[in-house]
Amino acid sequence: MTALPQYVRLESPGLWRDSLDAQRREVIVVFGDATLMLADARSAIPLTHWSLAALIRRNPGRKPAIFAPSDDPGEILEIADEDMIGAIEKVLSAIESGRPHPGRLRGWLTGTIIVAILAGIALWLLSGLINQAARVATDTRRQDVGRAILADMTRYTGAVCHSTAGDAALGVLAERLPGENLTIAIVPRGLKDGGRMLPGNVVAIGRRTLSGPDTPEAVAGAVVATEAAAAGLDPFLDFMKWAGARAALQLLVTGDLPRGVTRDYGKVVLDTPAPAVAPEVLLSAFRAANLSSTPYAYMTDPSGESVLPLIEADPFKGKPAPVAVLKDAQWHALKAICD
């Protein structure tokens, strides 16, 4: 029997040297189940047995093949027979593949760690590039981007509502509310879950805010709630993350963004739900704006059940706001802005 099922018996001639100083002698090499047996070529008397598992090839890829039973440099065996060489190599390959390779595992783990580190550095650089672009963007650039995003939104919401008197009323409302250089835009549809804060202090609210309680405090409340939901956030940074590294790099180098970079971002804004805001945060925002929260609460839920804290803890419950929101004529003009 042999170590390979395709051979019942396998023999070949070879040249054996048992030490560094010894002369090579002809032997018969017998391929066995677990050993190579070397026998005298004339008498066939066994001379030695070599373990197949311990065999070492001293000259890979060269002929005749030279094998040794160990790392000891003395004893070697030369074989020229292709079948015998192939059989021994097949056994050696099978043994080698079954051995553990801690070096390979260590190398694989090292490579994985290096790739992960490089990926982390790339992400860190990318994040740093985008954050830096957002930091250096001027107020004018932010306002331009906010208006461009609003224009892209109108592909889904319909055109921003405008009228001479209504626009003037929105300007007065923006001056009345907190927020530097605040711009308020009313769109006819597409905003059912609250307004959206866009870069440059551009606030988009829906037409439905005009059909709630008959008071400008309801519309003003929608703007205040939108600002409160965006507190601590940077809409321009969110946009830059979406726009990507190329846009950030161009903004840093030239001060301009790629043409058409805001296209499709309006849909992203509309599809992203408005952040939920805790009642106590809203009440604090209404208090800071010198604004009653009750009209906004009833506009959000006419039953008042889901917004009861805004009604019961209204900072100006039962008394007028310290500063009027709009005059009657301005309010009537604003209500008709989308007509």
Side-chain angles (χ1 to χ4, degrees), residues 31-32 54 61 81 88 93 109 122 126 128 173 181 183 203 218-219 223 240 242 256 272:
F31 185 83
D81 185 87
I88 295 173
S93 295
L109 289 175
L126 175 61
L173 180 61
N181 296 321
T183 300
V203 176
V219 179
V223 176
M240 289 305 305
W242 177 86
D256 290 324
T272 303

Side-chain angles (χ1 to χ4, degrees), residues 63-78:
K63 301 290 179 63
I66 299 176
F67 295 97
S70 67
D71 290 327
D72 187 341
E75 192 174 9
I76 60 171
L77 172 67
E78 292 184 17

